[in-house]
Amino acid sequence: MRTAVTQPVITDSDFLKFREFFYRKTGIYFEDNKRYFVDKRLIDRIEATRADNFRSYFIALRFEADGAELQQLVNAMTVNETYFFREFYQFDCLVRDMLAEVVRHKRPGSRIRIWSIPSSTGEEPYSIAIYLLERWPLIDQYEVEILSSDIDTTVLSAAQRGVYSARSVGQLPKPYLDKYFHRRSDNEFEISRDLVAAVDFSRVNLSDANDTRRFRDIDVIFCRNLLIYFDDLSRRLAAEAMYDALTPGGFVCLGHSESMSRISSLYTVRRFPDAMVYQKPMSGNRS
């Protein structure tokens, strides 16, 4: 048994083995400049599981039956930083342009599906819900489903709890803050339970076809600032998974530093007044 004063050491070889393993499991690739970040969180998990060293921890991780420690490790390794109405110009584009095209092919009363991945702690899907309620005049004429997914179960729990800091809600217009949140303290705001009920949260690994194949007939996908953590192959596979999930004519919104044009040729670039987004052609299937 390792003594309490001995801290595990992650060697160069250990890092490379772990990087390859984590990449195969999640599609997330850690560059060499993330070494300190990875080592610190690996050491935290080794100590939390009381493993003797990296080798014993890694063996147990690879061969565990239920995947519980892998999920704990994923939760530790993923970075979640967001706030309400982040990159709000894409929400403007949603209610002014994208949905106008979506409803051309739908009858009133039919379903519109919007998928937010990664959900992080819920700010993005709840922002979408607020935008639709406040700024889309046709909201009462369609059955809107908001789906939100993340690989990290800790942030999914936080999203469903719905309690946020003053910083997180700092970009919200005051009328929206007053309408949709209950102030618990000077630095804590709890979102309306009606909004929580309006979002369907689920754990999804975008690199796992078994997770993504159940998402179909999606009209708009928000996948912002996730693909920057993937390598080229994982980005392409993620783009294909989203393509398969979209209904013909559906849209994908990426983060401001991301470009689908450098990832996949499946999509058409659409430049609307508020934002540039990517569209699945109406012709349908990928070749």
Side-chain angles (χ1 to χ4, degrees):
M1 177 67 69
R2 177 170 46 82
T3 64
V5 296
T6 304
Q7 187 178 69
V9 174
I10 310 299
T11 68
D12 291 347
S13 176
D14 295 339
F15 173 75
L16 294 176
K17 289 177 183 176
F18 171 76
R19 180 167 68 179
E20 174 62 21
F21 170 80
F22 198 77
Y23 169 70
R24 284 190 284 105
K25 291 293 185 180
T26 68
I28 297 172
Y29 183 81
F30 292 116
E31 300 286 354
D32 291 344
N33 60 9
K34 297 290 185 183
R35 176 69 185 271
Y36 175 79
F37 170 89
V38 172
D39 283 8
K40 184 177 186 304
R41 281 153 181 78
L42 263 178
I43 289 169
D44 287 345
R45 292 312 306 163
I46 291 170
E47 293 179 336
T49 58
R50 299 182 180 274
D52 291 338
N53 48 43
F54 171 83
R55 182 175 182 276
S56 60
Y57 173 79
F58 192 55
I59 290 172
L61 181 69
R62 290 171 58 202
F63 294 104
E64 66 172 350
D66 60 4
E69 176 54 28
L70 176 60
Q71 184 61 62
Q72 291 294 324
L73 185 63
V74 167
N75 294 354
M77 290 290 177
T78 49
V79 178
N80 299 280
E81 182 179 355
T82 187
Y83 50 85
F84 283 87
F85 282 24
R86 183 179 186 180
E87 297 180 18
F88 64 88
Y89 56 87
Q90 289 186 337
F91 303 142
D92 287 332
C93 185
L94 174 70
V95 299
R96 292 174 184 169
D97 297 297
M98 286 186 279
L99 288 177
E101 292 204 8
V102 167
V103 299
R104 287 179 194 168
H105 310 285
K106 296 180 182 290
R107 295 180 178 179
S110 59
R111 185 177 64 176
I112 293 173
R113 309 189 85 199
I114 300 173
W115 186 19
S116 166
I117 181 169
S119 78
S120 186
T121 44
E123 287 90 338
E124 179 172 278
Y126 292 139
S127 293
I128 294 169
I130 293 171
Y131 244 79
L132 293 176
L133 289 167
E134 295 293 331
R135 303 190 182 185
W136 191 42
L138 301 183
I139 183 65
D140 294 328
Q141 297 184 30
Y142 295 88
E143 179 189 345
V144 180
E145 291 184 2
I146 301 176
L147 314 174
S148 193
S149 308
D150 206 290
I151 197 172
D152 184 338
T153 56
T154 301
V155 297
L156 287 169
S157 296
Q160 291 170 303
R161 190 163 59 251
V163 177
Y164 298 97
S165 68
R167 177 192 174 280
S168 182
V169 301
Q171 301 299 315
L172 280 170
K174 189 175 186 304
Y176 296 176
L177 185 63
D178 294 341
K179 183 175 182 179
Y180 294 105
F181 292 79
H182 166 68
R183 183 188 289 268
R184 291 169 43 138
S185 68
D186 287 344
N187 195 48
E188 277 196 339
F189 297 81
E190 184 174 2
I191 201 164
S192 160
R193 300 316 295 176
D194 288 340
L195 280 185
V196 175
V199 179
D200 181 4
F201 290 99
S202 61
R203 182 202 171 278
V204 168
N205 179 352
L206 192 55
S207 297
D208 188 340
N210 292 324
D211 284 358
T212 59
R213 66 167 51 101
R214 70 178 186 269
F215 289 86
R216 292 295 182 266
D217 301 320
I218 305 295
D219 295 293
V220 182
I221 298 175
F222 284 84
C223 182
R224 308 193 297 183
N225 306 311
L226 173 63
L227 301 185
I228 57 176
Y229 298 103
F230 290 4
D231 73 346
D232 289 343
L233 175 59
S234 294
R235 289 189 190 106
R236 181 173 59 79
L237 294 175
E240 292 173 358
M242 289 188 285
Y243 187 92
D244 290 340
L246 284 170
T247 189
F251 297 94
V252 174
C253 299
L254 299 181
H256 71 275
S257 64
E258 300 169 304
S259 171
M260 187 66 80
S261 302
R262 294 196 295 266
I263 299 170
S264 170
S265 61
L266 291 171
Y267 297 83
T268 300
V269 178
R270 295 297 306 276
R271 291 177 172 86
F272 292 114
D274 293 303
M276 183 175 73
V277 299
Y278 305 91
Q279 186 174 31
K280 178 176 179 174
M282 290 298 299
S283 56
N285 299 327
R286 64 181 160 103
S287 56

